[in-house]
């Protein structure tokens, strides 16, 4: 389990342990070094205090307070300059050999000694101490000096444990509160008495909850509107089916069948548009963008709509198509252009004209669909982007979702869409700008 609490405790405790160990090592070797110097001073004082004339009396060792054991552990020797031992005064068994003047550490008689040799006239005075006794004393004192520091590990460990547990309690409480929430409880979390570190997290969660509530509310409205819109064509189909059952003449049956066909087509178109709109909801926006050949896309969509336009004697064609490649959602862009051309074909009267153009303008890819149909009054050009909105008095069957779908796709591609009058104030001109921050030209720059 990737626990932040355990990880934090692990790092703090390990860091504390490492710091204490380093502190103990430094203190240990420092205290030992100081004690070594202190014991060397003791040997020097002993050597200087020994008389070389008359009776040789063993001097009293310099006081070392609590550092000295009850039994003395040093050896004092007086030598001639030629190396002859004159006197051996010791409180320990064994005696070291004569060494050079000054301090030295040496082996003698299978023992390690620390000695100090002082020359006084023709005599050499050597004060020695077994290194094992010396090491035992210095180590014991140094360990005793760092013992309180070792105790700090337990004390600081407990303090860190309690501090981390108490500091993370707001996060634990926040987690418990989120677990107790019902699935549709989208009210914001309380930001009172929260630590500064948790404020951004709670604010982000509240922002997410607000967006989620808006999305769910949009889904509810969408389902309600879809049910309402589907009710009309399905009721019409059901009614015409009943008429068909009761019809007796061939002409009456033919007329009822035609109405059934029209109602079915309308319901099919509405369902298709609803499915398209559902695919454009936020969760579908996780699809990655890919390079899209806009020029090829324009020609493909126009070719798909050409049979319908030809059937209605409408002149549909591509008047301009620059080679542009857009990094975007290929399926979404196909739906965008398909809806624009489909709307133009639906509303343009027989014998009309529809021109599709693609060019690079002002640093943006501009897609234009222009027809000479009835157009849209300026007062309604904003409302036509609303879902299920259809102009009053329109005789053309539709779902009222085409331009709403187009707007969603444009927004996803960070573009802009505008509705204007066509050439000479007749018809409708739809202009879609897609920023070239998401696009690149195949040839040149605009």
């Amino acid at each position: 389990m990737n626990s932040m609490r355990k990880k934090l405790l692990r790092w703090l405790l390990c860091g504390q342990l490492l710091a204490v160990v380093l502190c103990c090592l430094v203190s240990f070797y420092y205290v030992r070094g100081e004690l070594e110097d202190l014991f060397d001073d003791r040997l020097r004082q002993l050597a200087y205090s020994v008389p070389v004339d008359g009776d040789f009396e063993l001097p009293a060792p310099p006081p070392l307070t609590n550092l000295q054991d009850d039994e003395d552990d040093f050896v004092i020797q007086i030598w001639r300059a030629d190396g002859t031992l004159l006197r051996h005064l010791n409180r320990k068994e064994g005696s070291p050999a004569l060494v050079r003047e000054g301090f030295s550490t040496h082996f003698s008689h299978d023992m390690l000694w620390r000695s100090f040799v002082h020359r006084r006239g023709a005599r050499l005075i050597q004060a020695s101490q077994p290194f094992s006794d010396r090491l035992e004393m210095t180590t014991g004192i140094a360990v005793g000096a760092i013992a309180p520091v070792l105790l700090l590990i337990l004390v600081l460990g407990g303090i860190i444990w309690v501090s981390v547990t108490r500091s993370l309690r707001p996060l634990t409480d926040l987690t418990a509160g989120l677990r107790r929430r019902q699935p549709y409880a989208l009210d914001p979390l309380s930001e009172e008495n929260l630590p500064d570190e948790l404020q951004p997290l709670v604010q982000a969660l509240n922002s997410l909850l607000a967006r989620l509530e808006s999305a769910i509310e949009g889904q509810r409205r969408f389902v309600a509107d879809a049910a309402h819109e589907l009710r009309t064509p399905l009721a019409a189909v059901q009614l015409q089916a009943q008429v068909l059952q009761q019809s007796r003449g061939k002409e009456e049956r033919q007329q009822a069948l035609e109405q059934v066909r029209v109602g079915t087509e309308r319901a099919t178109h509405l369902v298709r548009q609803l499915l398209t709109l559902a695919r454009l909801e936020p969760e579908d926006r996780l699809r990655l963008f890919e390079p899209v050949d806009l020029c090829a896309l324009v020609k493909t969509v126009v070719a798909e709509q050409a049979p319908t336009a030809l059937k209605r004697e409408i002149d549909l064609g591509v008047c301009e198509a620059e080679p542009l490649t857009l990094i975007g959602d290929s399926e979404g862009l196909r739906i965008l252009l398909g809806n624009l051309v489909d709307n133009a074909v639906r509303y343009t009267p027989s014998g009309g004209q529809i021109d599709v153009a693609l060019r690079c303008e002002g640093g943006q890819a501009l897609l234009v669909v222009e027809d000479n149909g009835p157009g849209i009054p300026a007062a309604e050009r904003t409302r036509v982007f609303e879902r299920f909105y259809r102009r009053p008095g329109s005789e053309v069957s539709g779902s009222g979702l085409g331009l709403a779908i187009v707007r969603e796709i444009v927004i996803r591609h960070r573009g802009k869409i505008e509705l204007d009058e066509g050439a000479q104030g007749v018809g409708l001109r739809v202009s879609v700008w897609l920023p070239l921050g998401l696009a690149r030209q195949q040839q040149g720059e605009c």
Side-chain angles (χ1 to χ4, degrees), residues 42-62 68 70-78 87-94 120 125-129:
R42 183 190 185 197
L43 290 177
R44 183 188 293 110
Q45 292 178 26
L46 286 173
Y48 276 100
S49 63
V50 174
V52 296
D53 297 324
D55 295 334
F56 301 115
E57 296 292 339
L58 183 65
Q68 183 176 341
D70 295 337
E71 297 183 1
D72 295 329
D73 57 352
F74 54 85
V75 175
I76 299 177
Q77 297 167 300
I78 301 177
R87 190 69 184 272
H88 178 200
L89 305 174
N90 70 312
R91 308 290 170 84
K92 291 279 188 180
E93 295 182 357
R120 191 180 302 171
I125 303 173
Q126 177 174 295
S128 305
Q129 184 180 27

Side-chain angles (χ1 to χ4, degrees), residues 167-217:
S167 299
L168 293 179
R169 182 171 297 171
L171 183 59
T172 304
D173 295 341
L174 176 63
T175 304
L178 288 174
R179 286 177 178 172
R180 289 193 300 267
R181 284 201 165 209
Q182 297 299 321
Y184 290 99
L186 300 178
D187 50 299
L189 301 170
S190 175
E191 299 181 19
E192 296 182 0
N193 301 324
L194 281 178
D196 294 341
E197 291 77 9
L198 282 183
Q199 289 282 353
L201 174 62
V202 173
Q203 291 171 0
L205 284 173
N206 286 338
S207 176
L208 175 62
L209 289 173
R211 295 196 303 270
L212 184 59
E213 184 177 17
S214 176
I216 292 177
E217 183 61 28

